[in-house]
Amino acid sequence: MSTLDAARDLAAQLEGLCDMAGLDILVTSDVHKAAAETNRGRSVILLEPPRATHVGQTLIECDWDLVCLVGTADAIEAWPALDAIISALAPLGDVVAQFQRFQLPHGDPIPCVLITTTTTSRLTKE
């Protein structure tokens, strides 16, 4: 499994968790799609490329940054939606959530939650 395969697997898992929580959230690695959707008021999880560590010859450990955005510049207004995203992603296991602001292209910084999580995958599929 490559880091690209791991990213696709994580994106599918994130979509499933959000669907189970009843949240309409776009999961993407495209910052321009993220900006367009948040401008429309839709929530987005921006999947950033991982920090990857090869563990021996058979495993790869990926540390992921998930930038969770909602379509408002008001932090207090965004808070309930960001909390809902954190709750939806809780089944990922150990996650760290940090409230901050994120600069989208051609726009003002908006409230977000930066969630970090780690996945471990086999390098080869069996």
Side-chain angles (χ1 to χ4, degrees):
M1 175 177 280
S2 68
T3 55
L4 179 57
D5 294 327
R8 288 179 175 145
D9 287 351
L10 181 58
Q13 186 179 8
L14 295 171
E15 289 169 348
L17 290 171
C18 291
D19 285 346
M20 284 186 350
L23 301 175
D24 176 30
I25 297 178
L26 171 68
V27 178
T28 185
S29 60
D30 184 332
V31 71
H32 294 288
K33 281 185 185 176
E37 290 301 311
T38 57
N39 285 338
R40 291 184 189 102
R42 187 174 183 198
S43 297
V44 175
I45 297 175
L46 182 61
L47 178 61
E48 297 281 61
R51 291 171 301 284
T53 304
H54 290 267
V55 181
Q57 295 181 347
T58 58
L59 299 176
I60 188 165
E61 185 176 276
C62 294
D63 295 319
W64 301 95
D65 289 336
L66 311 174
V67 183
C68 305
L69 305 159
V70 296
T72 180
D74 183 315
I76 297 298
E77 188 178 309
W79 215 308
L82 293 170
D83 275 343
I85 295 170
I86 294 168
S87 294
L89 301 185
L92 289 174
D94 293 334
V95 297
V96 176
Q98 178 182 349
F99 285 84
Q100 58 188 41
R101 290 195 177 266
F102 185 78
Q103 179 69 52
L104 289 167
H106 313 293
D108 294 327
I110 62 171
C112 76
V113 168
L114 176 64
I115 293 180
T116 55
T117 191
T118 301
T119 61
T120 302
S121 306
R122 292 203 158 282
L123 284 171
T124 56
K125 292 189 177 187
E126 297 178 4

